Amino acid sequence: MSTTALLVVAKAPVPGLAKTRLCPPATYAEAAHIAAASLLDTVDAVRRTPNVRPVVAMVGDLDAAACSTELRDALRGWTVLGQRGDGFPARLAAAHADTADAHPGLPIMQIGMDTPQVTPGLLAEACEALGTADAALGLAGDGGWWAAGFRSVAHARLLRGIPTSRADTGERTLAALHAAGLRVATLPILSDVDTMEDAWRVADLLPHSRFVASLPSRCDSAGAVDER
């Protein structure tokens, strides 16, 4: 099986800067710990995925982040890149370009830190799709996407022109890939964790994870008894 660069685009889980849409009911400190747990679970899934070169492109001050020591330990042996560019679409395209420079000739599969439910099997399936397709895209339930991969880094430049954080971001991305004449493999739809409602929905899939352990009780977050 061929090797793929598996790129995680992440934000350092700094209180007040990471996962602020969880607030309220979460505090900024709680939201940062939830973000850290989500990233750590994602890093663990990547580490257990066969035939990949793990890469992270991170923005923010990791020294000021929740669980900074644990995150640094978890990322030991990874290719660690900073993010660059004006606006998130430009940073995405730049992360692919910088990953290609670090790992020349490898296809690149990119994910975020918002889907802690990813498994090594699902990530391996996504990477394997690039063996026959020019690109692979995993749509998210909120209208965005959770994974985007390209066999050639030149095609990743398409991400620069697609606005993010919109209800039609995924649809626009898929349309742009098809308009470029690319053969696109579609991946399963996953839920991003943006709100506390999202967090509890994803938590039901991860009963023994860092992510679940990081969440406040449902009683605290919803004003009702936690019946799980």
Side-chain angles (χ1 to χ4, degrees), residues 164-213:
T164 55
S165 300
R166 293 172 48 126
D168 62 352
T169 292
E171 179 182 328
R172 284 171 173 255
T173 305
L174 186 59
L177 300 185
H178 283 147
L182 304 185
R183 293 169 297 170
V184 183
T186 56
L187 306 174
I189 297 173
L190 296 186
S191 294
D192 280 338
V193 174
D194 292 318
T195 67
M196 193 60 73
E197 182 179 78
D198 298 332
W200 283 116
R201 183 165 54 249
V202 169
D204 288 333
L205 306 173
L206 301 167
H208 306 294
S209 63
R210 294 183 189 86
F211 180 74
V212 167

Side-chain angles (χ1 to χ4, degrees), residues 149-165:
F150 301 91
R151 191 152 51 167
S152 168
V153 69
H155 295 142
R157 295 172 190 153
L158 293 167
L159 297 176
R160 181 182 292 272
I162 303 169
T164 55
S165 300

